[in-house]
Coordinates of all heavy atoms in Angstrom, one line a residue:
P67 N -0.1 38.9 12.8 CA -1.5 38.5 13.0 C -1.6 37.0 12.5 O -1.0 36.6 11.6 CB -2.2 39.4 12.0 CG -1.2 40.2 11.2 CD 0.2 39.7 11.6
R70 N -5.1 33.3 15.9 CA -5.3 33.4 17.3 C -5.1 34.8 17.9 O -5.1 35.1 19.0 CB -4.4 32.4 18.1 CG -4.9 30.9 17.9 CD -3.9 30.0 18.6 NE -2.6 30.1 18.0 CZ -1.5 30.3 18.7 NH1 -1.5 30.4 20.0 NH2 -0.3 30.4 18.0
E77 N 11.3 44.7 21.7 CA 12.8 44.9 22.0 C 13.1 44.5 23.4 O 14.1 43.9 23.7 CB 13.1 46.4 21.9 CG 13.6 46.8 20.5 CD 13.8 48.3 20.5 OE1 13.6 49.0 21.5 OE2 14.0 48.8 19.4
S79 N 11.7 42.4 25.3 CA 11.3 41.1 25.8 C 11.8 40.1 24.8 O 12.1 40.4 23.6 CB 9.7 41.1 25.8 OG 9.3 39.9 25.3
Q93 N -10.2 46.7 16.3 CA -10.1 47.6 17.4 C -8.6 48.1 17.5 O -8.4 49.3 17.6 CB -10.4 46.9 18.7 CG -10.8 47.7 19.9 CD -9.8 47.6 21.0 OE1 -8.8 48.3 20.9 NE2 -10.1 46.8 21.9
L94 N -7.7 47.2 17.3 CA -6.3 47.6 17.4 C -5.9 48.5 16.2 O -5.2 49.5 16.4 CB -5.5 46.3 17.3 CG -4.0 46.4 17.6 CD1 -3.8 46.6 19.1 CD2 -3.2 45.1 17.2
R101 N 0.0 57.6 18.7 CA 1.4 57.1 18.7 C 2.2 57.3 20.0 O 3.3 56.9 20.1 CB 2.1 57.7 17.5 CG 1.4 57.6 16.2 CD 1.8 56.3 15.5 NE 3.2 56.2 15.4 CZ 4.0 56.7 14.5 NH1 3.5 57.4 13.5 NH2 5.3 56.5 14.5
D143 N -33.5 79.2 48.4 CA -33.2 77.9 47.7 C -33.2 78.1 46.1 O -34.3 78.3 45.6 CB -34.2 76.8 48.1 CG -33.8 75.5 47.6 OD1 -32.8 75.4 46.8 OD2 -34.4 74.5 47.9
D157 N -29.2 72.4 58.9 CA -29.0 73.8 59.2 C -27.6 74.2 59.3 O -26.8 73.5 60.1 CB -29.8 74.1 60.5 CG -31.2 74.5 60.1 OD1 -31.7 74.3 59.0 OD2 -31.9 75.1 61.0
A197 N -12.4 54.3 19.7 CA -12.2 52.9 19.6 C -13.3 52.3 18.6 O -14.4 52.7 18.5 CB -12.4 52.3 21.0
R202 N -19.2 46.8 21.7 CA -18.9 45.4 21.5 C -19.9 44.4 22.2 O -20.0 43.3 21.8 CB -17.5 45.1 22.1 CG -16.4 45.5 21.1 CD -15.0 45.2 21.6 NE -14.4 46.4 22.3 CZ -13.9 46.3 23.5 NH1 -13.8 45.2 24.2 NH2 -13.4 47.4 24.0
H206 N -20.5 46.6 27.4 CA -19.7 47.7 26.9 C -20.5 48.9 26.6 O -20.1 50.0 26.8 CB -19.0 47.1 25.6 CG -18.0 48.1 25.1 ND1 -17.9 48.4 23.8 CD2 -17.0 48.8 25.7 CE1 -16.9 49.3 23.6 NE2 -16.3 49.5 24.8
V217 N -17.6 62.0 31.4 CA -16.8 63.0 30.7 C -17.7 64.3 30.4 O -17.2 65.4 30.7 CB -16.3 62.4 29.3 CG1 -15.5 63.5 28.6 CG2 -15.4 61.2 29.6
S276 N 7.0 51.0 39.3 CA 7.3 51.8 40.5 C 7.4 53.3 40.2 O 8.0 53.7 39.2 CB 8.7 51.2 41.0 OG 9.4 52.3 41.5
A366 N -26.2 98.0 42.0 CA -27.4 97.5 42.7 C -28.5 98.6 42.6 O -29.6 98.4 43.1 CB -27.1 97.2 44.1
S473 N -18.4 102.1 53.8 CA -18.5 102.9 52.6 C -19.8 102.5 51.9 O -20.4 101.4 52.2 CB -17.3 102.6 51.7 OG -17.4 101.3 51.3
V482 N -25.7 93.4 57.0 CA -25.7 92.3 57.9 C -24.3 91.5 57.7 O -23.8 91.4 56.6 CB -26.8 91.3 57.6 CG1 -26.6 89.9 58.1 CG2 -28.1 91.9 58.1
A487 N -21.2 82.2 57.2 CA -22.3 82.1 56.2 C -21.6 82.4 54.8 O -20.6 83.1 54.8 CB -23.4 83.0 56.5
T490 N -22.9 86.0 50.3 CA -24.1 86.6 49.8 C -25.2 86.8 50.9 O -26.1 87.6 50.8 CB -24.7 85.7 48.6 OG1 -25.9 86.4 48.1 CG2 -25.1 84.3 49.1
V502 N -39.4 86.4 62.8 CA -40.5 85.5 63.1 C -40.1 84.6 64.3 O -38.9 84.1 64.3 CB -40.8 84.6 61.8 CG1 -41.9 83.6 62.1 CG2 -41.2 85.5 60.7

Side-chain angles (χ1 to χ4, degrees):
R70 287 175 300 126
E77 269 173 6
S79 140
Q93 201 246 82
L94 193 70
R101 307 274 309 275
D143 192 352
D157 268 17
R202 279 181 266 132
H206 189 228
V217 179
S276 141
S473 63
V482 161
T490 183
V502 176

